Amino acid sequence: MARTKTVKLSLLASALLPFLSQGSQIQTEDPHGLYPKAGQTLALTHATLITAPGEKREDATLVVRDGRILAVDDKAPAGARVIDVKGAWIYPGFIDPYSNYGLPTKAYEGPKDEVPHYRWPRPGAQAHNAAVHGSEVWRSRAKADMEGAKPFLEDGFTSVASARLDGIFQGYSVSLSLADLPSNQLVYQDKGRQFMAFDKGSSPQVYPTSLMGAMALVRQTLSDAAWYKDALNHDGARAQLETNADLAALGALKQQGILLATRHEDELLSAANLFKGFGLNPVYLGSNFEYDRADEVAKVAKTVVLPLNFPKPPKVASEADLERAQLADLRHWERAPSTAAALTQRGVAVAFSRHGLEGSIWPEVKKAIKDGLSEDQALAALTTVPAKIGGVDGIAGQLKAGMMADFVIASGDIFQDGKVLSTWTQGQPHSQVPLDLAALWGDYQVAGDYALTVKDDGSVSLKQGDKAIDQLTSNYEDRQLQLRWADDAGSHYWVLSGSHKAPVISAQQGGAWQSLVVTAKAPEAKKEDKADDAKLVSRASFPDQAYGLAQHPKSEKLLIKNATVWTSEKAGILDNTDVLIDDGVIEKLGKHLDAPRGATVIDGTGKHLTAGIIDEHSHIAISGGVNEASEAVTSEVRVGDVINPNDISIYRALAGGTTSAQLLHGSANPIGGQAQMIKLRWGETAEDMKFKEAPGTIKFALGENVKQSNWGDNFTIRYPQSRMGVKSLMEDAFQTAREYQEARTRYDLLSKRNKNEVLPPRRDYRLDALVEIMNKERFVHAHSYVASEILALMEVADEFDFHIQTFTHILEGYKVADEMKAHGATASTFADWWAYKFEVYDAIAQNACLLNQKGVLTSINSDSEDLIRRLNLEAAKSMAYCGMSPEDAWKMATINPAKELKVDKYVGSIKEGKQADLVLWDASPLSARARVLDTWVDGKRYFDRERDLAERQAIKAEKATLIDKILKSGEKPAEDRKGYRPAVVHWHCEDMDSHLEEM
């Protein structure tokens, strides 16, 4: 019978080990000398094996050979070389599903000049946009990088999924071992998920400049990939196709999958809506903000990768820090670690990543466990879930026969006090700490007055009484910790061996060895988390920030009695009138109404009830840029993709009586992006804020901005550069759209005869929007100032048989009011903005009155996160400037913008059957003294002044409690906003900042 040889080995990079268990063999390379031989069977005995989440074996043996696990057994097989690891715990190697390990970091170094580049030449038959790298398959570029692998290995990671994290479509990832082996032996999965992000990265091409532009590029590229794949299946169409390697590669997305990086939960939810239209369900790299919308995230995401980069606490040391500290930031510091538990409890599979982390993952993992994640779930997040994401679950993520010999040896339960001692990749050890040295960690009392400490980070300290010995040197060798120092009494040499349970110290004195009395100090009792310490002290709200609502408001059955009711209808202003609302609708309007059963009655005596204010021109609640400031025509981009429901401007607008707003693209382009009308449903998701009944609209722009006359000397390339060019560009765009529509119609006819002979037309979202305009399905709201341009745009509209719905700004509207009325255009203007740039020098304060008198439907808009709170006073100004009646002035803020936005059937006035968007004021709404008491949207009370006043005090108290928790935590404060939500940017029409600056 063969003998089993047992060797008690240190796990600190023993010279024997590479010979005991080699990685998997190279199968195709010539030996260039002696042929490689198979490695010896290696058995790690007497270990606690965690073979998979929830599976534990005591006093077990792990058997490995040639980079694979042979068996999980109770004893070593005959002939195996044995390593006794008694007391150690062995886990499956951890897997990071999102990294750029072993790959180059950038696609481009960027142009040397500062002028915009609208095209960027690329070698090969690739996509036209330099942020699309869909054809990259990163297996061909991957190689071992042991310096880059070091932080992974120290935390126990044995493999990663990797792609170059640059661009929007970043290429198909590769799953790589972190072993120090040739590239051929590193690849576990050669073609994994397509990595994606909404950040164009190093692309020198201007488009896209905004988050909505990035999402539009994704939408168009996904559509193009489907079209390209479909066209290849038409025998007669192939010869007509361009060659496009990126589109060809992206045809495999459904099979290979996607891993999309998102920066906050709203971006994740918006992305899910986009991908759903293409039948795709990505894995998402999350942000640890998902706790805020956990229910909604769980509905759309099956798997989320969470980076273990929880934020450090905000600075709270000084009075200035306390003043600056935002409640949302304080809450996020406390709640971010609870994200994993919140998602897991809702059935979402969670994986962990080191992405963005400095330092070890283990303090962060333990935070997640403290906040509700079980140890088994945490282990799954490090093993089985990422293995499935990377497509390597057949060979990694568990300790089972046939799996790769990727495992972690720890000094104990790694989720409690255990430390990573050694990480093994394909049977190769990467030792951090010898097992025997780990047995010596602890505090000792030696020879009466010496205090010795051996720490788990490898450091050693020694004191004699209260005096620290500074010249101490230590070395671990032959399973012994050797200590040397010198003092007035001479040189000292100690050797510590055994273990903390049975320590032995031998001292060399005068050439002779003697034993010293040594006693191990009992470890300090682990501080158990008190219930109060583990408890979240912050309140949850929707959204999760100051003035968020504790719960989503319910539709009220409500009778408001004896109020002055501003109907914004022919009935005008009604005194002492009752209004009954139920199920979100205005049910009755009249005097002496009886309250139905269950209704709440509000005494409106001395109060004024109005329809909610509607803002035709707003830029609040937009993430990632208000302008796609690249191409001259960007009708494919959609503000609806980037609504930010966390913008405090929503709440402030409600406090000023505004209940709906059209969120417009900026004025960087003659033909800009698609607008989105929202209801200010504070606390709801971006999707739930959309005014579903509102028809589609789009922003056009005229004047200085679109011809780039005020952009600087570098912006002299893009056509058009003149007002004449603007008109010509629009004519060309609509003519192209007309031809595009005709081509699609022809294809529909021809394809019925022989589908295989005709190339299906490529869907163009940019032209689709223009076709919708000509088909009167989408309506134009045009940024405008100068009378001559207003007339020119109406000529373009007449030529292509559509009309301009609303001229917004329209400060020279009084000059062309007759022509506007004849065309059927409406006007939405400022009350009294003028002289802030050359093209508004002719603006006058009487503009609204003159337009109104000429029969042009006119409204007052804000174009400002500040004025949207005071549109009632902006409307009132025309009473002062030109004697407009109160009824007409109020209509400019309510029913008139409703008509311009084609939602007057639903909102804008108080009329039976309309949606209950109502505002209760304590005085006439046109008075500077008027304050909003309550604001209802769809019969739900989203603003309540009494609640608001109470909330101010609650916010102060909550901040104080959170600050106290931060100070007690002892955590080092953050130096920047890493890990926190990007600050809300208040955009204006002309803002060209990229979404990267906001993020």
Side-chain angles (χ1 to χ4, degrees):
M1 180 181 291
R3 294 171 57 196
T4 299
K5 186 175 180 181
T6 301
V7 181
K8 181 75 174 181
L9 289 175
S10 161
L11 300 184
L12 180 60
S14 169
L16 289 173
L17 289 182
F19 297 99
L20 297 177
S21 180
Q22 298 175 9
S24 54
Q25 301 298 306
I26 298 176
Q27 298 172 339
T28 58
E29 184 180 353
D30 292 333
H32 303 296
L34 299 177
Y35 282 93
K37 302 297 187 293
Q40 188 172 8
T41 301
L42 185 66
L44 290 88
T45 62
H46 304 300
T48 297
L49 296 185
I50 309 299
T51 57
E55 299 179 13
K56 179 180 180 181
R57 292 186 62 166
E58 303 277 4
D59 194 21
T61 296
L62 183 68
V63 185
V64 302
R65 180 184 177 92
D66 294 334
R68 295 270 181 169
I69 296 173
L70 281 183
V72 174
D73 210 336
D74 293 328
K75 59 183 180 179
R81 181 61 64 94
V82 174
I83 298 179
D84 185 351
V85 292
K86 187 174 182 179
W89 290 43
I90 302 181
Y91 294 84
F94 307 136
I95 302 167
D96 194 321
Y98 185 80
S99 81
N100 64 344
Y101 169 78
L103 294 171
T105 56
K106 280 188 177 182
Y108 307 100
E109 290 304 320
K112 304 301 180 185
D113 52 54
E114 295 182 0
V115 299
H117 291 267
Y118 296 99
R119 297 288 181 270
W120 190 256
R122 305 177 71 191
Q126 295 179 299
H128 72 91
N129 191 281
V132 178
H133 310 289
S135 59
E136 292 278 11
V137 182
W138 289 109
R139 66 187 175 211
S140 61
R141 306 281 292 276
K143 62 181 181 180
D145 172 14
M146 297 318 294
E147 186 62 30
K150 186 177 179 181
F152 289 99
L153 293 168
E154 289 178 347
D155 272 342
F157 286 90
T158 55
S159 65
V160 298
S162 193
R164 183 178 61 203
L165 305 181
D166 182 42
I168 292 175
F169 290 85
Q170 299 171 347
Y172 288 107
S173 60
V174 57
S175 286
L176 295 172
S177 168
L178 294 170
D180 188 7
L181 292 169
S183 297
N184 304 67
Q185 294 175 267
L186 299 180
V187 176
Y188 282 180
Q189 171 59 263
D190 64 346
K191 189 178 181 183
R193 295 177 183 274
Q194 177 86 201
F195 278 19
M196 292 182 63
F198 292 125
D199 183 341
K200 69 180 178 182
S202 67
S203 168
Q205 198 166 334
V206 176
Y207 184 88
T209 64
S210 65
L211 177 58
M212 59 181 150
M215 296 187 81
L217 177 60
V218 169
R219 181 180 287 110
Q220 186 65 64
T221 304
L222 293 176
S223 176
D224 287 349
W227 163 79
Y228 196 88
K229 184 177 181 180
D230 187 51
L232 287 174
N233 294 327
H234 289 72
D235 295 337
R238 294 181 186 179
Q240 304 171 57
L241 271 181
E242 66 176 49
T243 300
N244 191 312
D246 288 316
L247 294 184
L250 293 173
L253 279 177
K254 284 190 177 181
Q255 293 74 40
Q256 296 301 130
I258 296 167
L259 201 164
L260 173 71
T262 60
R263 286 164 287 214
H264 46 75
E265 79 288 1
D266 298 316
E267 189 169 285
L268 187 156
L269 294 172
S270 295
N273 196 45
L274 188 162
F275 283 101
K276 182 181 178 182
F278 295 92
L280 298 169
N281 191 354
V283 169
Y284 296 94
L285 177 74
S287 58
N288 293 305
F289 281 100
E290 288 76 17
Y291 62 87
D292 191 13
R293 302 281 186 186
D295 289 336
E296 288 77 12
V297 170
K299 291 174 184 176
V300 300
K302 293 181 180 178
T303 308
V304 175
V305 178
L306 293 177
L308 290 169
N309 57 352
F310 303 138
K312 295 177 180 178
K315 289 182 179 179
V316 290
S318 66
E319 287 297 326
D321 291 338
L322 297 177
E323 188 66 28
R324 283 192 294 263
Q326 297 294 309
L327 179 61
D329 289 352
L330 297 170
R331 284 183 179 178
H332 184 55
W333 166 77
E334 185 188 41
R335 289 181 173 269
S338 70
T339 304
L343 293 179
T344 302
Q345 288 162 8
R346 289 165 173 81
V348 179
V350 169
F352 287 147
S353 171
R354 280 188 51 84
H355 180 67
L357 177 67
E358 297 175 2
S360 172
I361 64 165
W362 291 107
E364 311 305 289
V365 171
K366 290 173 182 177
K367 286 179 184 178
I369 291 172
K370 180 181 175 182
D371 280 3
L373 194 69
S374 73
E375 292 184 11
D376 285 342
Q377 290 167 341
L379 181 59
L382 292 164
T383 55
T384 52
V385 177
K388 190 172 183 180
I389 293 171
V392 298
D393 47 321
I395 60 171
Q398 300 184 61
L399 299 181
K400 290 187 177 179
M403 296 276 189
M404 302 304 295
D406 292 349
F407 53 90
V408 184
I409 301 180
S411 61
D413 185 342
I414 204 164
F415 299 106
Q416 297 296 325
D417 298 323
K419 306 290 182 182
V420 174
L421 302 179
S422 184
T423 304
W424 293 57
T425 56
Q426 298 190 38
Q428 291 184 346
H430 307 269
S431 297
Q432 286 84 34
V433 181
L435 181 61
D436 296 319
L437 177 57
L440 295 174
W441 290 340
D443 297 314
Y444 303 90
Q445 194 69 33
V446 185
D449 61 345
Y450 285 97
L452 173 65
T453 298
V454 182
K455 295 184 178 180
D456 58 20
D457 63 2
S459 64
V460 180
S461 63
L462 183 66
K463 284 184 177 182
Q464 185 176 23
D466 294 330
K467 182 182 177 182
I469 297 174
D470 298 327
Q471 303 303 317
L472 181 71
T473 61
S474 63
N475 181 49
Y476 184 76
E477 188 175 329
D478 296 331
R479 299 167 56 196
Q480 297 176 331
L481 181 63
Q482 301 170 358
L483 308 173
R484 296 178 185 270
W485 81 97
D487 58 19
D488 295 341
S491 297
H492 301 269
Y493 178 39
W494 288 0
V495 176
L496 175 63
S497 60
S499 70
H500 191 261
K501 293 180 180 179
V504 176
I505 283 192
S506 300
Q508 192 176 59
Q509 305 251 352
W513 287 95
Q514 65 182 56
S515 296
L516 300 181
V517 177
V518 55
T519 305
K521 294 181 182 178
E524 291 184 11
K526 181 183 175 184
K527 180 186 174 184
E528 295 296 333
D529 290 327
K530 296 179 182 177
D532 290 344
D533 292 339
K535 181 181 175 183
L536 295 174
V537 300
S538 59
R539 298 174 297 156
S541 66
F542 304 98
D544 201 36
Q545 63 188 62
Y547 300 100
L549 305 179
Q551 56 188 6
H552 298 294
K554 306 288 186 186
S555 181
E556 297 184 52
K557 181 182 285 189
L558 187 66
L559 179 62
I560 303 171
K561 295 186 67 66
N562 300 321
T564 300
V565 178
W566 297 61
T567 64
S568 296
E569 292 281 347
K570 289 181 181 179
I573 303 170
L574 306 175
D575 293 328
N576 300 318
T577 300
D578 303 344
V579 176
L580 175 65
I581 65 175
D582 189 15
D583 198 24
V585 173
I586 300 170
E587 194 169 276
K588 271 188 183 179
L589 182 68
K591 294 182 183 291
H592 309 300
L593 298 181
D594 293 327
R597 179 174 296 178
T600 299
V601 178
I602 294 179
D603 184 3
T605 304
K607 300 179 178 68
H608 294 247
L609 186 69
T610 71
I613 293 171
I614 300 168
D615 192 353
E616 181 273 344
H617 188 137
S618 177
H619 302 300
I620 66 169
I622 296 176
S623 288
V626 72
N627 274 298
E628 177 45 56
S630 50
E631 308 286 349
V633 179
T634 59
S635 47
E636 75 279 9
V637 308
R638 303 175 183 179
V639 171
D641 285 337
V642 293
I643 295 171
N644 178 7
N646 302 293
D647 188 351
I648 192 63
S649 299
I650 298 169
Y651 181 74
R652 291 170 178 163
L654 286 164
T658 302
T659 55
S660 297
Q662 177 178 227
L663 308 186
L664 283 167
H665 186 277
S667 56
N669 337 69
I671 300 178
Q674 299 171 32
Q676 179 64 55
M677 191 172 182
I678 65 170
K679 286 201 172 190
L680 304 188
R681 300 176 178 123
W682 177 238
E684 308 296 341
T685 65
E687 194 63 25
D688 288 338
M689 282 194 175
K690 293 179 180 178
F691 198 143
K692 298 295 196 296
E693 297 89 347
T697 56
I698 191 169
K699 174 77 171 285
F700 280 23
L702 307 169
E704 296 178 11
N705 296 354
V706 299
K707 66 188 185 70
Q708 300 185 310
S709 60
N710 49 14
W711 289 36
D713 295 338
N714 289 325
F715 292 89
T716 58
I717 301 170
R718 189 185 83 178
Y719 182 89
Q721 292 283 302
S722 69
R723 298 176 192 268
M724 294 180 293
V726 171
K727 184 173 186 287
S728 295
L729 176 89
M730 290 182 173
E731 290 172 332
D732 177 73
F734 277 104
Q735 181 58 35
T736 304
R738 178 179 283 172
E739 294 165 2
Y740 165 78
Q741 185 179 28
E742 290 170 353
R744 292 184 69 88
T745 302
R746 281 197 305 274
Y747 171 75
D748 290 341
L749 294 173
L750 292 172
S751 64
K752 292 177 181 178
R753 302 173 190 170
N754 192 336
K755 292 185 178 181
N756 289 327
E757 291 184 1
V758 185
L759 178 68
R762 167 183 174 267
R763 183 174 184 183
D764 188 318
Y765 287 95
R766 184 173 291 182
L767 295 177
D768 277 350
L770 303 186
V771 170
E772 289 172 358
I773 294 168
M774 291 188 292
N775 289 342
K776 299 175 179 58
E777 298 166 343
R778 184 171 299 279
F779 301 94
V780 175
H781 291 246
H783 164 112
S784 54
Y785 290 103
V786 177
S788 59
E789 290 184 290
I790 296 165
L791 295 173
L793 181 55
M794 288 191 290
E795 289 177 3
V796 173
D798 289 341
E799 180 182 353
F800 291 94
D801 193 28
F802 67 93
H803 80 282
I804 306 302
Q805 175 64 28
T806 303
F807 284 98
T808 187
H809 300 337
I810 192 70
L811 295 184
E812 288 189 18
Y814 65 93
K815 296 182 180 180
V816 290
D818 290 334
E819 292 83 353
M820 288 175 61
K821 183 180 179 183
H823 178 76
T826 65
S828 187
T829 189
F830 297 130
D832 52 3
W833 288 20
W834 58 73
Y836 51 90
K837 58 181 176 178
F838 181 78
E839 64 185 356
V840 294
Y841 278 13
D842 282 0
I844 60 174
Q846 293 78 22
N847 184 47
C849 287
L850 293 173
L851 285 164
N852 200 44
Q853 290 167 11
K854 288 284 188 176
V856 176
L857 184 75
T858 304
S859 70
I860 294 293
N861 67 63
S862 76
D863 192 13
S864 159
E865 83 286 351
D866 184 44
L867 284 185
I868 195 173
R869 301 187 295 157
R870 299 196 294 272
L871 278 172
N872 62 317
L873 301 183
E874 295 299 292
K877 287 179 179 178
S878 289
M879 295 166 58
Y881 288 134
C882 47
M884 185 180 285
S885 70
E887 289 91 339
D888 284 347
W890 190 243
K891 286 179 180 180
M892 289 201 301
T894 53
I895 192 63
N896 289 6
K899 290 177 178 178
E900 291 172 346
L901 294 161
K902 296 187 177 294
V903 292
D904 52 303
K905 177 181 177 181
Y906 309 101
V907 294
S909 64
I910 298 180
K911 182 179 180 181
E912 291 176 2
K914 283 198 174 186
Q915 295 171 0
D917 292 7
L918 301 170
V919 185
L920 188 64
W921 309 74
D922 65 359
S924 165
L926 297 173
S927 167
R929 295 186 177 89
R931 295 182 305 171
V932 171
L933 300 176
D934 297 286
T935 304
W936 292 269
V937 180
D938 304 318
K940 301 175 182 178
R941 197 175 330 210
Y942 283 96
F943 176 78
D944 180 331
R945 180 163 293 276
E946 289 184 4
R947 175 196 168 274
D948 178 88
L949 295 173
E951 182 67 8
R952 298 179 198 186
Q953 299 306 313
I955 289 169
K956 290 180 181 178
E958 184 181 357
K959 285 182 66 174
T961 303
L962 283 164
I963 288 168
D964 182 61
K965 187 172 183 177
I966 287 172
L967 295 173
K968 288 178 179 177
S969 75
E971 290 187 43
K972 185 179 178 181
E975 295 297 328
D976 52 33
R977 290 193 54 78
K978 183 178 179 181
Y980 287 97
R981 192 183 296 276
V984 172
V985 177
H986 293 132
W987 307 106
H988 301 281
C989 265
E990 69 279 5
D991 287 337
M992 307 299 170
D993 297 339
S994 77
H995 74 283
L996 298 179
E997 293 179 31
E998 181 200 2
M999 300 297 172

